[in-house]
């Protein structure tokens, strides 16, 4: 049950991040936040059908987003929002990877 809350929370966090980026004037943030959030919810759905496959997909999403946010942090040299999103995405990546290895 905790898995579902963590995954849904991360997906909502991505949606909200895109929304707040849009409020700050970035259409790209809105689009990427919506797409990323949607992919996380697809992964959540997959965990109900095939948990291993779902967590493999979520591990890929978390890892990919970690790389994107690392690049953003390096390019801007500002902690917000890239650094914060990097920490959260990396933690999500590790969490999902541990779930894949556990199964």
């Amino acid at each position: 049950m905790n898995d579902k809350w963590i995954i849904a929370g991360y997906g909502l966090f991505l949606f909200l991040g895109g929304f707040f980026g849009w409020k700050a004037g970035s259409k790209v943030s809105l689009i990427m936040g919506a797409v990323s959030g949607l992919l996380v919810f697809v992964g959540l759905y997959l965990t109900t059908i095939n948990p291993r496959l779902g967590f493999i997909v979520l591990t890929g999403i978390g890892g990919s987003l970690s790389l994107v946010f690392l690049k953003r942090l390096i390019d801007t040299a500002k902690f917000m929002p890239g650094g914060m999103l990097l920490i959260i995405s990396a933690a999500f990546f590790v969490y999902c990877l541990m779930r894949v290895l556990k199964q």
Side-chain angles (χ1 to χ4, degrees), residues 32-51:
M32 294 311 295
V35 169
S36 300
L38 183 62
L39 288 174
V40 169
F41 279 101
V42 167
L44 174 61
Y45 174 71
L46 287 174
T47 62
T48 62
I49 297 171
N50 181 346

Side-chain angles (χ1 to χ4, degrees), residues 19-95:
F19 173 74
F20 285 115
W22 173 72
K23 295 273 285 181
S26 174
K27 284 185 181 179
V28 174
S29 289
L30 178 63
I31 293 167
M32 294 311 295
V35 169
S36 300
L38 183 62
L39 288 174
V40 169
F41 279 101
V42 167
L44 174 61
Y45 174 71
L46 287 174
T47 62
T48 62
I49 297 171
N50 181 346
R52 182 164 173 79
L53 175 63
F55 278 105
I56 289 171
V57 168
L58 290 168
T59 301
I61 294 167
S64 299
L65 288 175
S66 294
L67 293 175
V68 167
F69 295 129
L70 175 62
K71 183 181 181 325
R72 185 171 296 164
L73 177 63
I74 291 169
D75 290 346
T76 64
K78 295 180 182 174
F79 180 74
M80 288 296 287
M84 178 190 61
L85 291 166
L86 170 61
I87 291 169
I88 292 168
S89 294
F92 184 75
F93 168 74
V94 169
Y95 176 78

